[in-house]
Each structure stands twice: as structure tokens, then as C-alpha cells.
Amino acid sequence: MKYALLADIHSNIEALDACLEKVEQFNPDQYIFLGDLVGYGADPVAVLNRIRSISNRVVIKGNHDAAVAIAANPNMREDVRQAIDWTRMQLQQSDLDLLNQLPLTFREGHCLFVHANAISPEKWSYVLTEAEAMHNMNAVQESVIFCGHVHEPKLYSMGSNGRAQLFIPTSGVSIPLIQSRKWFSIVGSVGQPRDKSTLASCAVYDSDKNQLTYFRVIYDYLSAADKIRKAGLPTFFADRLERGE
Amino acid sequence: MPKPISTGTVCDGFLVGEGLLRGGMATIYEVTKPGYDLPMIMKVPHWGHGDDAASIVGFEVEKMILPKLTGIHVPRFIASGEHDTCPYIVMEYVKGMSLRHYFNVAPLTIDQVQRIGIKVATALHDLHQQRVVHMDLKPSNIIFRESGEACLIDFGFSQHQDLPDLLKEEIHEPLGTAPYISPEQIFFHRGDPRSDIFALGAILYALITGTRPFGFPTSVAGLKRRLYEDPKPPRLLRAETPKWLQEIVLRCLEVEPTNRYGSAAQLAFDLSNPEQVYISSRGKKVYPDPWWAVLRRRFVSFTYEPEKTETAQLQLSRAPIMMVAIDIEGSSEDLLLSLKESIQRLSKEKDYRIAIVSVLKISRLGLDASSDEKGKSYHLKKLSEIKGWSKNLQVNEANVTYHVLEASDPATAIVDYIRHNNVDHVIIGARGSSMMRRFLGSVSSRVVSEAPCTVTVVRTPRQEIQSST
């Protein structure tokens, strides 16, 4: 089974289309959207429609999706909350229902797909350290966990010594996820990259060959940023796209 | 539980044949499978209670890296089996003589050492270009194919810069083989291609002298002696060792990676051009350093911290071999000046090498007189020309070599030279753009289209005007 992995799109249709074009080259059997389809960006409707147009899809709920569908988390920053409220205004009830009904996790074979973390997906806590990745890998049966939430592509692996080790992947180079180890993959963000690069992130995983390939994709971030400003959303989100942080 | 593998068992369609070698970490069997006509071996790790983690991880590392490698200097990967069911790696059976064989009959002739050095350095450069550092280069890990090329095997300690380094977390003692391990590996630094150059230096030293430069230490303290004790100069152990070869070998064995060759291609280049090796005090010394110098270095070694490790890709990009293809007689003064300026602009890296090359055109039948009327060989005349021209280049003389190629077709000769010497960047002048050149095709345009590397074509600002008048 070949999975296309797309996380943290954040209403950025330019980035989503560029990433879809990239992963389509590999003829994926299934598209996995790892949450946070909306929030920050100016094109929530276009993004949801594009995802709906893909038949072989699995969509996981992210914290921004939950906030738009139900209510903004009181802990959210003011500008983030502003973007959530704006997004809710753009969407139809059917869109909100779709977001509300998304599952928190998806399991298939030796893989677990989740937005934030494998231990308590509904709490949205971040996996930022090797120790946190280790706890996640120990908490589940599956040998490979895919998630988003942290907007930087990363790969943690854990061998027989039980310690997790971080690796920053190189775009386009396939990594064999050998079965004697456990793996925790953060696929990076399609629409809000934050590792000082303006390039969108996505990945393809071939579960038969155990090969994971991360990609960085050039897209028209200037147009995406321009739309954010024109929509009256906080300009910080546009600046971020232009700086990649 | 992993399925036991032994002679006669069938694993994923591979029929396990005779055991060829039982090593410390794995057993090697010959295997066959219908549909595969190349000779193959299966490497089966010894796993059981009490096995050390590094050997398990080493097997995982090889399983990750080997499928990524291509070319004649590595065994072809065929298949691998899973950890839980039947862990193995099947690869091409590289038939040929191991360097271990030559090692056992060392000292070798200087010619033999030179030839072996070129072959192994060429194989290493190919590996480094694939972003992999071997980290355990030793005679038994080098096999010469029946066609002559060196093939590197056993990637259990290797590092691929684009894959997770699984061994990083497992190192509690230096990983490598005692006689060949580089100083930085003793301090757990992994992934610098110059570590392999150190190991090759130690191998060449042993092939010249019949003894290992640092013995065979069995403790970490023993390994660290190479930080301050210089090896006896090969010329002391074997008087006929040429200075150029001692220079090359001792440069490989420098403690600081930055003082070694910048790339294995540069090492192969020097071994191929011994008459042009710049001989420093390294090549001239006949005795080891005096005891007080060793003592001073020993004190310094207590606080030794290896410099930051470079990735293979970054280090290779900093150590280019540049070639300047030049035709002094056929070029205008302006073009010659522009060529010099380009060389100066492009030779900013510390580890660059420049080969200044000119082609002596001979007829296809090779019937040219080899001397002009003054009795001076055309070849030497050409060499003098390029050396004379290079006088005020303002680049480090030790990094420059000069070559005259004799050929009927200059463009082909230049492209062959580029391929043979792993040249990274060619600088060539465009002598003009006359109708005739446009019609026949110039040397520079053919080099641009055929060279397997970057080519800078130098033109003078006024060239177009001059050539059209």
C-alpha cells in the first residue's frame, strides 16, 4: 500500500495543489490527511473541496479543525482565534459537520496515523523531543506512527536500546523504515512550513517496501500570503509564509 | 523468533549453499535462486542472548545503506530478510583477490602500492560521492574484481548522510578497526570522508613497509597514541621509498582531517601524477619527530577535540579538482587574462586542486617529428609555456599541477582527462566565434556538451567585437 501523507494544510490551496501534484507522481493507493486542514490561511473552502474531490482519502481531525467545527480552545492565541472565527464564517454547515465528524486516529497494518500524538490525541500536545517521541512509540503496538502538528519534517527511530533518535530527512531520498525498529514520523506542514524554509512539505510511504520519502515542494507562497492580507486575516500569518517560520 | 538459517535451508526462495566464512558478527553463505544468474552470498547475523547492540545495529545499518549504493565499486544488493522472521542480506558475490592477500605478502613494490592506492582511492571517491563514508576501511574489506576495479564491502559501520545514523546512539567505544581507525573516530565523530582517507593511508603505509603505522593497539589509550606519536617515516623502514609516496601517505595520516587530502579523488590524482607531488617536510623526513615534540603533542592531546565533522557532500564540494584547459598560442592576451581572473575567483576553497592542461596536437598517424629545429621537444615547450603563464596566478603552488596531453583531437583528450581524473570543474577559454568555428564546432563547445562536470567558458568582454572585425 502506498500512502500519500499530507499534514497541516491550513487553508493554503496553492501549497496543497503543489503537494498533490508531487505525490500523484507516485500513484498513491490512499491519501492520508493528517489534520489541520483549515486555520491561518485564506482558502478553507477551496481546500475542503479539493480534499472532497479525492475519493481514496482518509482525513484525520486536527486541533484547528476541531476549533472551527465546535469552538476555539480558550488557550489559543488571539490572532489564531481570529483566524478560526473567520474560517467558520466562510464555511457552510455541511463543511463544519464534515470537520466535526473527522476521526482522531486511523490504524492500518503496522501504521498509526494521528494529528498530534499517539498517547492522547484529543489533548493535542506536541511531540518536540526525543523523550516524547520515545513515550509515543512505547505507547502503541504499531511500529510506525505518522503525525503532523509540529510543522517541521522530522523522523525519530528507536532500536533495541529503547532510546529515540532524531533525524532530519533530506527531500526526495527514500528512507527504509526497517522493521526491527520503531519509527515516529512528523511529515512536516503542507501550508505553514516553519523550519526557515518556504517550501511545502509532504511525504509518501510504501508500506510493502517500508520506504518513506519526504518531499519539499516549491509553491506560490507569495500569492498565498497576499490572499491572507487581502482577506483581512492577521498579517502575521502572511509574513510567516514569506519567512517560512 | 528468527528462523535459523544453515546450509540446505531455503529462505525467501534463496537456497542456502556452502558456508564461506564465519566471522565475529555474521556468517556468509553462497546462495542461489531461480531467475538470478549472478553469483550471490547471504550474510546472516549471529544474534542471540548477550549479543552486543552495536553488532545488531551494524546489520541494520548495512541493510539500510547497501540498497542505496550503485556502481562497480560496491557489491550489488539483491534482497534482505526481516528481523523477526529471517534476518539476512543477499548481495552479489564479488569474486576476486582481497587486499588482505597483498597485505600478507607486504612489502610490495612501489609500483604495486601506487596501483593499489589509485584503485582504492577511486573506489572511495565513488562511495563518498554517493554520500556514504565507509568508516571501517581495512584490507579484508577491499576486494579487487577480476576486471581490476576495487570493490568495497561491509557497510556495517558506515554512515549515509541522508539516512538516520543508527549507530550514533550505540557508540560506547570507538567503532572501527584498531590499526586503521582515524583519530576523530576514536572520539566518536562519524561521517567525515577524510576518516576513510586516514584508513587508506594506514593501509598504504603497511603495504610499503610491511608494518602497520600505529601497531595493533587493544585499548582506547593505545588507540589515542596516534594523536601524538608520529609513525616512523616509511623512508626509515624502507630506504627506496620515494619522497612523493611518503609525502602522500603521511599526508593521509595527519591527525587533523583538514591537513589530509580534501577528497579521495585528490589522493588518486597525486598517486597518478607522482612527479608533480609537492614535497613538503613530510616527504623529506627520515627520522620520527624528536621526543620533546612528541611529549608536547601528548600534553596537547589531553584536551584534543576533533574539529567539526563535515558531511561527505559538503567536504567534497570544498575539495574540487579544477582543470584549466588552455591553448596559449591560440588565445589572445585578453582571453589569457580573463582565464586567470576566473581561476582566482573560483579557487577560494582551501582544499581546491588545479590541473593546468594543454593539448599538443599531433596527426592521427602519429608521424609528427617530436622536436622542432632547435631540438627542443614540442612537449617540453608546451609545458614551459603553461608553467610560465601560471607564474603570477596567485594561487598556492602546492595545489597546482601541469600536464600536456598529446592527441589528434583536443576536445576528446580533454574530456577523457576529465573522466579519468574525476575533475569537478573545467575552465576553458572560447577563442573566438568566427564563421569557421561556428561551422566546425569549437573545442570549448564540444567540451561543454561532452564533459561530465561543470564547465566555465571564459570569454573576454570585447571578444565578440574583435572576432567579427
Side-chain angles (χ1 to χ4, degrees):
Chain A
M1 180 75 104
K2 224 179 275 176
Y3 299 99
L5 303 161
L6 302 124
D8 298 280
I9 298 154
H10 287 296
S11 303
N12 186 337
I13 190 69
E14 286 80 8
L16 176 59
D17 282 343
C19 286
L20 287 173
E21 197 183 326
K22 168 57 78 180
V23 296
E24 273 161 17
Q25 295 167 13
F26 300 89
N27 297 318
D29 301 301
Q30 197 145 46
Y31 289 78
I32 311 275
F33 294 91
L34 287 158
D36 279 3
L37 314 179
V38 295
Y40 298 136
D43 276 315
V45 177
V47 163
L48 290 184
N49 287 340
R50 187 76 80 252
I51 292 171
R52 277 199 188 98
S53 72
I54 297 168
S55 55
N56 47 342
R57 65 172 191 268
V58 171
V59 188
I60 308 284
K61 190 189 283 181
N63 51 320
H64 284 251
D65 308 321
V68 168
I70 307 163
N73 183 327
N75 297 330
M76 276 181 162
R77 274 197 344 243
E78 181 52 36
D79 53 357
V80 178
R81 194 198 291 262
Q82 234 177 300
I84 297 284
D85 293 340
W86 179 90
T87 303
R88 194 180 298 118
M89 303 277 287
Q90 313 303 311
L91 299 180
Q92 306 284 329
Q93 190 54 46
S94 58
D95 298 327
L96 298 175
D97 291 344
L98 180 137
L99 292 177
N100 194 27
Q101 286 159 13
L102 295 176
L104 284 169
T105 58
F106 173 65
R107 296 180 136 90
E108 191 160 78
H110 58 270
C111 302
L112 167 65
F113 304 90
V114 62
H115 176 63
N117 69 80
I119 297 172
S120 44
E122 73 290 351
K123 289 187 178 159
W124 314 116
S125 51
Y126 292 87
V127 175
L128 297 170
T129 64
E130 290 174 335
E132 284 159 352
M134 180 191 79
H135 292 316
N136 272 266
M137 288 185 269
N138 282 329
V140 297
Q141 288 291 315
E142 287 81 4
S143 58
V144 185
I145 303 169
F146 290 104
C147 75
H149 205 37
V150 176
H151 289 210
E152 297 172 27
K154 290 178 176 179
L155 179 65
Y156 295 92
S157 77
M158 188 171 76
S160 53
N161 69 4
R163 282 198 300 271
Q165 185 185 322
L166 171 64
F167 175 69
I168 306 297
T170 306
S171 176
V173 179
S174 67
I175 303 167
L177 302 191
I178 49 177
Q179 287 182 8
S180 48
R181 304 177 75 86
K182 284 196 155 193
W183 301 88
F184 188 94
S185 161
I186 300 174
V187 300
S189 169
V190 171
Q192 271 276 325
R194 288 185 194 158
D195 56 350
K196 297 195 167 35
S197 164
T198 56
L199 304 180
S201 291
C202 55
V204 172
Y205 178 58
D206 184 330
S207 64
D208 299 327
K209 295 181 181 162
N210 291 322
Q211 298 280 339
L212 172 64
T213 312
Y214 290 78
F215 295 100
R216 299 309 295 264
V217 183
I218 296 171
Y219 80 98
D220 182 3
Y221 65 91
L222 292 175
S223 292
D226 194 44
K227 284 185 187 172
I228 290 174
R229 292 194 183 97
K230 285 193 174 137
L233 284 158
T235 55
F236 173 65
F237 301 136
D239 299 345
R240 267 191 139 169
L241 288 185
E242 290 173 354
R243 291 199 307 267
E245 55 184 40
Chain B
M1 270 298 285
K3 186 171 136 189
I5 295 175
S6 59
T7 303
T9 53
V10 177
C11 194
D12 294 343
F14 292 99
L15 173 62
V16 180
E18 289 300 306
L20 298 174
L21 179 76
R22 188 178 167 85
M25 292 186 181
T27 299
I28 310 286
Y29 298 94
E30 196 159 5
V31 291
T32 53
K33 185 173 181 176
Y36 290 77
D37 54 1
L38 80 167
M40 297 180 290
I41 54 163
M42 179 181 275
K43 189 172 191 175
V44 182
H46 302 155
W47 285 347
H49 294 295
D51 281 333
D52 89 293
S55 83
I56 296 173
V57 179
F59 183 77
E60 294 175 327
V61 166
E62 184 157 33
K63 211 168 122 180
M64 288 179 88
I65 291 179
L66 196 59
K68 295 271 174 201
L69 299 177
T70 57
I72 199 151
H73 299 296
V74 291
R76 200 176 123 199
F77 170 81
I78 308 290
S80 63
E82 278 314 328
H83 177 78
D84 300 341
T85 50
C86 115
Y88 67 81
I89 302 173
V90 173
M91 65 186 92
E92 171 196 2
Y93 182 7
V94 182
K95 292 192 173 170
M97 194 79 85
S98 156
L99 183 55
R100 178 87 218 170
H101 164 81
Y102 296 97
F103 194 77
N104 290 340
V105 295
L108 305 182
T109 67
I110 299 302
D111 274 1
Q112 281 176 309
V113 176
Q114 183 186 10
R115 277 200 301 273
I116 288 171
I118 292 169
K119 284 179 179 181
V120 181
T122 303
L124 261 189
H125 188 63
D126 187 50
L127 184 72
H128 294 164
Q129 283 184 311
Q130 296 184 59
R131 301 174 168 217
V132 174
V133 182
H134 191 284
M135 311 294 290
D136 192 21
L137 193 70
K138 56 183 173 182
S140 56
N141 283 344
I142 301 163
I143 297 172
F144 294 100
R145 288 181 183 274
E146 282 158 359
S147 50
E149 295 88 356
C151 180
L152 309 175
I153 59 166
D154 196 350
F155 297 91
F157 287 166
S158 301
Q159 199 228 33
H160 189 306
Q161 77 172 66
D162 295 328
L163 295 179
D165 184 11
L166 307 181
L167 280 161
K168 200 168 72 184
E169 280 294 310
E170 301 291 343
I171 308 181
H172 307 297
E173 54 187 55
L175 293 180
T177 303
Y180 315 104
I181 191 170
S182 66
E184 60 274 14
Q185 280 172 267
I186 301 170
F187 289 82
F188 309 132
H189 279 221
R190 290 175 49 73
D192 191 323
R194 294 168 298 185
S195 301
D196 288 344
I197 290 174
F198 184 94
L200 180 51
I203 292 168
L204 295 178
Y205 181 103
L207 293 176
I208 298 167
T209 64
T211 57
R212 297 181 175 108
F214 309 104
F216 203 140
T218 52
S219 66
V220 173
L223 289 175
K224 286 184 178 171
R225 293 176 81 95
R226 68 196 62 191
L227 287 170
Y228 50 89
E229 278 186 5
D230 55 323
K232 286 180 184 151
R235 275 150 54 77
L236 174 65
L237 301 171
R238 187 175 172 189
E240 77 261 32
T241 309
K243 287 180 186 165
W244 61 264
L245 187 53
Q246 175 165 306
E247 173 75 28
I248 289 172
V249 169
L250 294 186
R251 184 166 171 193
C252 293
L253 292 175
E254 283 283 351
V255 173
E256 293 293 350
T258 188
N259 293 332
R260 296 177 210 147
Y261 283 95
S263 73
Q266 293 189 353
L267 168 58
F269 187 88
D270 266 11
L271 284 164
S272 305
N273 297 282
E275 73 288 351
Q276 303 233 21
V277 173
Y278 180 83
I279 313 284
S280 71
S281 55
R282 272 190 296 249
K284 293 173 191 156
K285 73 193 268 194
V286 184
Y287 297 105
D289 294 340
W291 64 268
W292 62 85
V294 174
L295 189 64
R296 194 176 59 232
R297 286 201 296 260
R298 186 168 186 181
F299 281 119
V300 173
S301 76
F302 293 139
T303 55
Y304 175 77
E305 178 64 37
E307 55 193 55
K308 191 174 161 287
T309 302
E310 301 295 5
T311 61
Q313 181 201 13
L314 188 60
Q315 176 53 34
L316 260 50
S317 73
R318 286 178 177 174
I321 296 180
M322 287 193 283
M323 171 184 182
V324 181
I326 186 166
D327 173 19
I328 291 183
E329 275 182 15
S331 305
S332 68
E333 283 300 316
D334 279 353
L335 180 58
L336 290 173
L337 188 64
S338 296
L339 264 168
K340 270 189 187 165
E341 287 166 357
S342 296
I343 296 165
Q344 284 154 1
R345 263 202 303 276
L346 292 168
S347 55
K348 297 293 181 213
E349 294 295 350
K350 179 181 168 292
D351 282 339
Y352 69 91
R353 292 293 301 261
I354 301 177
I356 298 186
V357 179
S358 196
V359 182
L360 178 61
K361 210 169 169 193
I362 55 170
S363 79
R364 274 178 210 287
L365 295 172
L367 297 175
D368 303 79
S370 62
S371 303
D372 64 10
E373 66 281 1
K374 290 177 186 165
K376 193 176 176 187
S377 128
Y378 286 135
H379 190 103
L380 282 181
K381 193 175 162 190
K382 204 92 179 164
L383 195 59
S384 307
E385 269 178 18
I386 56 175
K387 283 191 166 181
W389 175 79
S390 312
K391 271 284 172 269
N392 56 351
L393 256 184
Q394 296 172 347
V395 292
N396 186 349
E397 204 186 311
N399 294 348
V400 186
T401 53
Y402 306 92
H403 314 263
V404 174
L405 314 175
E406 294 186 18
S408 58
D409 176 1
T412 304
I414 290 168
V415 172
D416 284 349
Y417 185 92
I418 293 166
R419 287 188 200 283
H420 189 71
N421 290 287
N422 283 307
V423 170
D424 300 292
H425 194 151
V426 178
I427 304 169
I428 188 167
R431 288 178 301 181
S433 54
S434 65
M435 279 307 289
M436 184 67 96
R437 278 183 195 285
R438 278 179 195 161
F439 183 67
L440 293 175
S442 67
V443 172
S444 59
S445 66
R446 276 193 53 207
V447 172
V448 167
S449 66
E450 293 172 27
C453 69
T454 305
V455 181
T456 299
V457 178
V458 177
R459 290 201 166 89
T460 61
R462 290 179 52 78
Q463 198 162 347
E464 189 68 27
I465 302 165
Q466 285 164 355
S467 59
S468 60
T469 53

